[in-house]
Amino acid sequence: MFLYDFTQLTSSIHSSLVESFGEGALTTTIELAIAGVAYLIFFAVLGLFLVYLERKVCAFIQNRLGPMRVGPWGLLQTIADFIKLLMKELIYIKSADQFLFNVAPFIVITASFLAIGAIPFDKGLQVLDFDIGVFYVAAVSSLGVLGVLLAGWASNNKYSLIGAMRSGAQIVSYELSVGLSLMTIIVLAGTMQFSELVAGQADLWFIFKGHIPAMIAFVIFLIAGTAETNRGPFDLAEAESELTAGFHTEYSGIKFALFFLAEYINMFIVASIATTVFLGGWMPLHIPGLDGFNHVMDFIPPVLWFFMKAFTVVFIMMWFKWTFPRLRIDQLLTLEWKYLLPLNLINIVIMTIVVLLGWHL
Amino acid sequence: MKVVVEYFKDIFGGIKTLITGMKVTGKYFVSPSEIVTQQYPENRETLQMFDRFKGEVIMPHNDKNEHKCTGCGICEMNCPNGSIEVISKWEIVDDKKKKAIDKHIYHLSMCTFCGLCIKTCPSKALAFGQAFEHSVFDRSQLTKILNKPNSVVTKDLKE
């Protein structure tokens, strides 16, 4: 069926392209272009929706209504905002390093693009299926900080530079926790390939399969992932109340929009990784022994499963952001180096013992 | 050993406080009845302002067209930006000349709603009204005479 398996769809597109253009560079280019355009549209829609969702969630948490005027329930508000941002002036910063200043937002958004390509939204609905998928995503998602650092440096502004340096310290620290918490599950799964990770969760999601160590890893991943996206209580890099807007103080118009979009897309990417690695990706909720229940769950399309889980994680991250106060830089580093990292290292040993002794479900 | 216990106490204590915070915001998230935002132009008919809302200065009259203003002029003296002008007249009551209010002129356009006139009025003749839709096409319409035509000071002014 169409919604249940995309491999047929993609292979039919591929074969029809081969028929008309033949095997070779042209077909590959066209396929790349199709994938690129698809991801561009997906990014735009997702970004607009996530901004809307954030504003609504924030509003409800603060006993407000949020955007209500543009379109029904304010649904078109973010589109109006986007058009406004597109038409705004790109302010020329005289003392900025022009080349680095202009290239920084693109590095940030490119890192998001690279990372999302490896996420499987459904069977066959992913661009890259490496055998080192998890490693790849962990590597490219941390490229974004390069853009943040460049933006802060090139702006030639004290606030930007302080924000960028904080962001650098933050990512270097929390990258460890993200990697190690993912590693905990990889120990359980025995593979780094995303498609096999999802296939391994056909009977039970890894968070249940690995019970206690997997759940600890999930919590650590959520905290570290939130920190990695420079969001929520860890938004020291922009810290409105201290640094005006941190690393993107000097940016305006579409360049600012790119940073803004990247922040939300990164949140979705972290949620997608959490979904794929811990919560079964596009795999429906299956409980061993309950065949009838499993069969009913199969009727919900996998794409829907994926987005339901991803948006649940996104919601939890928004919940964090609008509940907790921002950490100081020393508190941030204490949390990582004194708490998350030692716990993570112990946790990975526990997981190894669990796997070796076959105590997992 | 004590250090280790303290360490884990720290962690679980931290998690507990975080969950307490998330419980509060989570409760707000799932209770739409507590939303305070007013959809103003749409709910104009049913909108109820709060009692303490400072819309404009009014002089309450009872049903016999009586107010409590004696025309002493304390409100005029206390108004920081001269929004109030009290014009008094002399009335002959029981063969005695007595000061009474002729016109209590209130310039809404200058009022900062500080409430000093209401606080200092010895006979509690002034109050804040809840009306807030003050926009008019002519500035002169913002100058109001607070005592109604033919109104008199109420007889039972004592308290």
PDB file of all heavy atoms in Angstrom, chain B residues 72-96:
ATOM      1  N   CYS B  72     -16.130  71.389  47.093  1.00  0.00           N
ATOM      2  CA  CYS B  72     -15.039  71.910  47.912  1.00  0.00           C
ATOM      3  C   CYS B  72     -13.785  72.191  47.097  1.00  0.00           C
ATOM      4  O   CYS B  72     -12.976  73.035  47.459  1.00  0.00           O
ATOM      5  CB  CYS B  72     -14.714  70.938  49.029  1.00  0.00           C
ATOM      6  SG  CYS B  72     -14.115  69.351  48.425  1.00  0.00           S
ATOM      7  N   GLY B  73     -13.597  71.478  46.000  1.00  0.00           N
ATOM      8  CA  GLY B  73     -12.457  71.741  45.129  1.00  0.00           C
ATOM      9  C   GLY B  73     -11.177  71.017  45.507  1.00  0.00           C
ATOM     10  O   GLY B  73     -10.116  71.325  44.972  1.00  0.00           O
ATOM     11  N   ILE B  74     -11.241  70.076  46.439  1.00  0.00           N
ATOM     12  CA  ILE B  74     -10.045  69.330  46.834  1.00  0.00           C
ATOM     13  C   ILE B  74      -9.527  68.479  45.670  1.00  0.00           C
ATOM     14  O   ILE B  74      -8.315  68.348  45.468  1.00  0.00           O
ATOM     15  CB  ILE B  74     -10.345  68.495  48.085  1.00  0.00           C
ATOM     16  CG1 ILE B  74     -10.471  69.429  49.290  1.00  0.00           C
ATOM     17  CG2 ILE B  74      -9.249  67.476  48.358  1.00  0.00           C
ATOM     18  CD1 ILE B  74     -10.854  68.755  50.563  1.00  0.00           C
ATOM     19  N   CYS B  75     -10.436  67.940  44.902  1.00  0.00           N
ATOM     20  CA  CYS B  75     -10.021  67.122  43.752  1.00  0.00           C
ATOM     21  C   CYS B  75      -9.251  67.976  42.750  1.00  0.00           C
ATOM     22  O   CYS B  75      -8.231  67.558  42.200  1.00  0.00           O
ATOM     23  CB  CYS B  75     -11.209  66.452  43.096  1.00  0.00           C
ATOM     24  SG  CYS B  75     -12.571  67.550  42.716  1.00  0.00           S
ATOM     25  N   GLU B  76      -9.708  69.189  42.545  1.00  0.00           N
ATOM     26  CA  GLU B  76      -9.041  70.092  41.603  1.00  0.00           C
ATOM     27  C   GLU B  76      -7.628  70.411  42.078  1.00  0.00           C
ATOM     28  O   GLU B  76      -6.684  70.434  41.293  1.00  0.00           O
ATOM     29  CB  GLU B  76      -9.857  71.361  41.472  1.00  0.00           C
ATOM     30  CG  GLU B  76      -9.282  72.327  40.448  1.00  0.00           C
ATOM     31  CD  GLU B  76     -10.091  73.596  40.333  1.00  0.00           C
ATOM     32  OE1 GLU B  76     -11.119  73.714  41.023  1.00  0.00           O
ATOM     33  OE2 GLU B  76      -9.691  74.463  39.552  1.00  0.00           O
ATOM     34  N   MET B  77      -7.500  70.631  43.417  1.00  0.00           N
ATOM     35  CA  MET B  77      -6.190  70.957  43.963  1.00  0.00           C
ATOM     36  C   MET B  77      -5.240  69.768  43.858  1.00  0.00           C
ATOM     37  O   MET B  77      -4.041  69.926  43.669  1.00  0.00           O
ATOM     38  CB  MET B  77      -6.328  71.369  45.423  1.00  0.00           C
ATOM     39  CG  MET B  77      -6.784  72.794  45.595  1.00  0.00           C
ATOM     40  SD  MET B  77      -6.665  73.264  47.306  1.00  0.00           S
ATOM     41  CE  MET B  77      -8.177  72.641  47.964  1.00  0.00           C
ATOM     42  N   ASN B  78      -5.762  68.571  44.013  1.00  0.00           N
ATOM     43  CA  ASN B  78      -4.908  67.390  44.042  1.00  0.00           C
ATOM     44  C   ASN B  78      -4.560  66.864  42.655  1.00  0.00           C
ATOM     45  O   ASN B  78      -3.649  66.054  42.518  1.00  0.00           O
ATOM     46  CB  ASN B  78      -5.575  66.280  44.844  1.00  0.00           C
ATOM     47  CG  ASN B  78      -5.326  66.454  46.310  1.00  0.00           C
ATOM     48  OD1 ASN B  78      -4.204  66.313  46.778  1.00  0.00           O
ATOM     49  ND2 ASN B  78      -6.361  66.815  47.030  1.00  0.00           N
ATOM     50  N   CYS B  79      -5.300  67.303  41.648  1.00  0.00           N
ATOM     51  CA  CYS B  79      -5.038  66.758  40.314  1.00  0.00           C
ATOM     52  C   CYS B  79      -3.680  67.258  39.818  1.00  0.00           C
ATOM     53  O   CYS B  79      -3.446  68.459  39.739  1.00  0.00           O
ATOM     54  CB  CYS B  79      -6.128  67.187  39.351  1.00  0.00           C
ATOM     55  SG  CYS B  79      -5.916  66.432  37.739  1.00  0.00           S
ATOM     56  N   PRO B  80      -2.730  66.321  39.519  1.00  0.00           N
ATOM     57  CA  PRO B  80      -1.369  66.739  39.160  1.00  0.00           C
ATOM     58  C   PRO B  80      -1.290  67.478  37.841  1.00  0.00           C
ATOM     59  O   PRO B  80      -0.380  68.260  37.633  1.00  0.00           O
ATOM     60  CB  PRO B  80      -0.589  65.432  39.085  1.00  0.00           C
ATOM     61  CG  PRO B  80      -1.527  64.345  39.396  1.00  0.00           C
ATOM     62  CD  PRO B  80      -2.901  64.885  39.478  1.00  0.00           C
ATOM     63  N   ASN B  81      -2.187  67.229  36.907  1.00  0.00           N
ATOM     64  CA  ASN B  81      -2.056  67.873  35.603  1.00  0.00           C
ATOM     65  C   ASN B  81      -3.287  68.684  35.215  1.00  0.00           C
ATOM     66  O   ASN B  81      -3.543  68.890  34.046  1.00  0.00           O
ATOM     67  CB  ASN B  81      -1.721  66.845  34.534  1.00  0.00           C
ATOM     68  CG  ASN B  81      -2.571  65.625  34.648  1.00  0.00           C
ATOM     69  OD1 ASN B  81      -3.465  65.582  35.488  1.00  0.00           O
ATOM     70  ND2 ASN B  81      -2.319  64.640  33.833  1.00  0.00           N
ATOM     71  N   GLY B  82      -4.027  69.100  36.190  1.00  0.00           N
ATOM     72  CA  GLY B  82      -5.123  70.029  35.933  1.00  0.00           C
ATOM     73  C   GLY B  82      -6.224  69.485  35.048  1.00  0.00           C
ATOM     74  O   GLY B  82      -6.737  70.184  34.177  1.00  0.00           O
ATOM     75  N   SER B  83      -6.592  68.235  35.251  1.00  0.00           N
ATOM     76  CA  SER B  83      -7.663  67.664  34.440  1.00  0.00           C
ATOM     77  C   SER B  83      -9.042  68.032  34.987  1.00  0.00           C
ATOM     78  O   SER B  83     -10.030  67.790  34.323  1.00  0.00           O
ATOM     79  CB  SER B  83      -7.556  66.141  34.413  1.00  0.00           C
ATOM     80  OG  SER B  83      -6.260  65.761  34.088  1.00  0.00           O
ATOM     81  N   ILE B  84      -9.092  68.547  36.201  1.00  0.00           N
ATOM     82  CA  ILE B  84     -10.388  68.806  36.828  1.00  0.00           C
ATOM     83  C   ILE B  84     -10.523  70.299  37.091  1.00  0.00           C
ATOM     84  O   ILE B  84      -9.589  70.958  37.548  1.00  0.00           O
ATOM     85  CB  ILE B  84     -10.508  68.014  38.153  1.00  0.00           C
ATOM     86  CG1 ILE B  84     -10.568  66.524  37.862  1.00  0.00           C
ATOM     87  CG2 ILE B  84     -11.747  68.459  38.928  1.00  0.00           C
ATOM     88  CD1 ILE B  84     -10.572  65.662  39.081  1.00  0.00           C
ATOM     89  N   GLU B  85     -11.679  70.822  36.759  1.00  0.00           N
ATOM     90  CA  GLU B  85     -12.013  72.205  37.098  1.00  0.00           C
ATOM     91  C   GLU B  85     -13.332  72.169  37.845  1.00  0.00           C
ATOM     92  O   GLU B  85     -14.311  71.609  37.346  1.00  0.00           O
ATOM     93  CB  GLU B  85     -12.216  73.026  35.825  1.00  0.00           C
ATOM     94  CG  GLU B  85     -10.947  73.537  35.180  1.00  0.00           C
ATOM     95  CD  GLU B  85     -11.279  74.199  33.867  1.00  0.00           C
ATOM     96  OE1 GLU B  85     -11.954  75.244  33.895  1.00  0.00           O
ATOM     97  OE2 GLU B  85     -10.908  73.651  32.815  1.00  0.00           O
ATOM     98  N   VAL B  86     -13.341  72.740  39.041  1.00  0.00           N
ATOM     99  CA  VAL B  86     -14.591  72.778  39.800  1.00  0.00           C
ATOM    100  C   VAL B  86     -15.115  74.210  39.784  1.00  0.00           C
ATOM    101  O   VAL B  86     -14.422  75.135  40.205  1.00  0.00           O
ATOM    102  CB  VAL B  86     -14.377  72.292  41.247  1.00  0.00           C
ATOM    103  CG1 VAL B  86     -15.662  72.424  42.041  1.00  0.00           C
ATOM    104  CG2 VAL B  86     -13.891  70.870  41.253  1.00  0.00           C
ATOM    105  N   ILE B  87     -16.318  74.373  39.262  1.00  0.00           N
ATOM    106  CA  ILE B  87     -16.942  75.703  39.258  1.00  0.00           C
ATOM    107  C   ILE B  87     -18.094  75.652  40.262  1.00  0.00           C
ATOM    108  O   ILE B  87     -19.036  74.858  40.101  1.00  0.00           O
ATOM    109  CB  ILE B  87     -17.449  76.075  37.850  1.00  0.00           C
ATOM    110  CG1 ILE B  87     -16.252  76.152  36.906  1.00  0.00           C
ATOM    111  CG2 ILE B  87     -18.218  77.380  37.896  1.00  0.00           C
ATOM    112  CD1 ILE B  87     -16.621  76.291  35.472  1.00  0.00           C
ATOM    113  N   SER B  88     -17.962  76.455  41.319  1.00  0.00           N
ATOM    114  CA  SER B  88     -18.982  76.383  42.367  1.00  0.00           C
ATOM    115  C   SER B  88     -19.893  77.609  42.306  1.00  0.00           C
ATOM    116  O   SER B  88     -19.571  78.601  41.648  1.00  0.00           O
ATOM    117  CB  SER B  88     -18.325  76.264  43.741  1.00  0.00           C
ATOM    118  OG  SER B  88     -17.311  77.240  43.851  1.00  0.00           O
ATOM    119  N   LYS B  89     -20.991  77.488  42.975  1.00  0.00           N
ATOM    120  CA  LYS B  89     -21.952  78.599  43.015  1.00  0.00           C
ATOM    121  C   LYS B  89     -22.443  78.728  44.447  1.00  0.00           C
ATOM    122  O   LYS B  89     -22.226  77.840  45.281  1.00  0.00           O
ATOM    123  CB  LYS B  89     -23.114  78.310  42.064  1.00  0.00           C
ATOM    124  CG  LYS B  89     -23.895  77.061  42.442  1.00  0.00           C
ATOM    125  CD  LYS B  89     -24.990  76.748  41.459  1.00  0.00           C
ATOM    126  CE  LYS B  89     -25.693  75.471  41.871  1.00  0.00           C
ATOM    127  NZ  LYS B  89     -26.620  74.971  40.880  1.00  0.00           N
ATOM    128  N   TRP B  90     -23.089  79.860  44.735  1.00  0.00           N
ATOM    129  CA  TRP B  90     -23.623  80.068  46.087  1.00  0.00           C
ATOM    130  C   TRP B  90     -25.110  79.798  46.074  1.00  0.00           C
ATOM    131  O   TRP B  90     -25.831  80.306  45.242  1.00  0.00           O
ATOM    132  CB  TRP B  90     -23.322  81.472  46.579  1.00  0.00           C
ATOM    133  CG  TRP B  90     -21.848  81.667  46.805  1.00  0.00           C
ATOM    134  CD1 TRP B  90     -20.972  82.247  45.962  1.00  0.00           C
ATOM    135  CD2 TRP B  90     -21.116  81.239  47.931  1.00  0.00           C
ATOM    136  NE1 TRP B  90     -19.701  82.217  46.460  1.00  0.00           N
ATOM    137  CE2 TRP B  90     -19.761  81.594  47.690  1.00  0.00           C
ATOM    138  CE3 TRP B  90     -21.426  80.573  49.131  1.00  0.00           C
ATOM    139  CZ2 TRP B  90     -18.744  81.325  48.594  1.00  0.00           C
ATOM    140  CZ3 TRP B  90     -20.415  80.331  50.017  1.00  0.00           C
ATOM    141  CH2 TRP B  90     -19.079  80.697  49.758  1.00  0.00           C
ATOM    142  N   GLU B  91     -25.556  78.982  46.973  1.00  0.00           N
ATOM    143  CA  GLU B  91     -26.975  78.648  47.061  1.00  0.00           C
ATOM    144  C   GLU B  91     -27.515  79.144  48.401  1.00  0.00           C
ATOM    145  O   GLU B  91     -26.782  79.168  49.393  1.00  0.00           O
ATOM    146  CB  GLU B  91     -27.156  77.124  46.985  1.00  0.00           C
ATOM    147  CG  GLU B  91     -27.577  76.670  45.596  1.00  0.00           C
ATOM    148  CD  GLU B  91     -27.719  75.169  45.518  1.00  0.00           C
ATOM    149  OE1 GLU B  91     -27.608  74.509  46.567  1.00  0.00           O
ATOM    150  OE2 GLU B  91     -27.926  74.677  44.416  1.00  0.00           O
ATOM    151  N   ILE B  92     -28.782  79.506  48.412  1.00  0.00           N
ATOM    152  CA  ILE B  92     -29.356  79.949  49.679  1.00  0.00           C
ATOM    153  C   ILE B  92     -30.231  78.823  50.197  1.00  0.00           C
ATOM    154  O   ILE B  92     -31.248  78.465  49.596  1.00  0.00           O
ATOM    155  CB  ILE B  92     -30.160  81.236  49.516  1.00  0.00           C
ATOM    156  CG1 ILE B  92     -29.186  82.354  49.089  1.00  0.00           C
ATOM    157  CG2 ILE B  92     -30.875  81.607  50.801  1.00  0.00           C
ATOM    158  CD1 ILE B  92     -29.848  83.566  48.566  1.00  0.00           C
ATOM    159  N   VAL B  93     -29.734  78.211  51.272  1.00  0.00           N
ATOM    160  CA  VAL B  93     -30.483  77.129  51.891  1.00  0.00           C
ATOM    161  C   VAL B  93     -30.806  77.554  53.320  1.00  0.00           C
ATOM    162  O   VAL B  93     -29.895  77.898  54.083  1.00  0.00           O
ATOM    163  CB  VAL B  93     -29.653  75.824  51.901  1.00  0.00           C
ATOM    164  CG1 VAL B  93     -30.477  74.671  52.435  1.00  0.00           C
ATOM    165  CG2 VAL B  93     -29.127  75.532  50.507  1.00  0.00           C
ATOM    166  N   ASP B  94     -32.099  77.548  53.688  1.00  0.00           N
ATOM    167  CA  ASP B  94     -32.551  77.941  55.021  1.00  0.00           C
ATOM    168  C   ASP B  94     -31.998  79.318  55.401  1.00  0.00           C
ATOM    169  O   ASP B  94     -31.407  79.506  56.469  1.00  0.00           O
ATOM    170  CB  ASP B  94     -32.138  76.908  56.088  1.00  0.00           C
ATOM    171  CG  ASP B  94     -32.645  75.528  55.735  1.00  0.00           C
ATOM    172  OD1 ASP B  94     -33.632  75.465  54.974  1.00  0.00           O
ATOM    173  OD2 ASP B  94     -32.049  74.533  56.172  1.00  0.00           O
ATOM    174  N   ASP B  95     -32.133  80.257  54.460  1.00  0.00           N
ATOM    175  CA  ASP B  95     -31.679  81.634  54.640  1.00  0.00           C
ATOM    176  C   ASP B  95     -30.184  81.744  54.885  1.00  0.00           C
ATOM    177  O   ASP B  95     -29.702  82.720  55.443  1.00  0.00           O
ATOM    178  CB  ASP B  95     -32.439  82.317  55.808  1.00  0.00           C
ATOM    179  CG  ASP B  95     -33.908  82.411  55.490  1.00  0.00           C
ATOM    180  OD1 ASP B  95     -34.201  82.450  54.269  1.00  0.00           O
ATOM    181  OD2 ASP B  95     -34.718  82.408  56.408  1.00  0.00           O
ATOM    182  N   LYS B  96     -29.447  80.723  54.552  1.00  0.00           N
ATOM    183  CA  LYS B  96     -27.995  80.795  54.714  1.00  0.00           C
ATOM    184  C   LYS B  96     -27.342  80.571  53.351  1.00  0.00           C
ATOM    185  O   LYS B  96     -27.791  79.726  52.578  1.00  0.00           O
ATOM    186  CB  LYS B  96     -27.524  79.716  55.702  1.00  0.00           C
ATOM    187  CG  LYS B  96     -27.422  80.230  57.120  1.00  0.00           C
ATOM    188  CD  LYS B  96     -26.743  79.229  58.015  1.00  0.00           C
ATOM    189  CE  LYS B  96     -27.779  78.381  58.733  1.00  0.00           C
ATOM    190  NZ  LYS B  96     -27.176  77.268  59.481  1.00  0.00           N
TER     191      LYS B  96
END
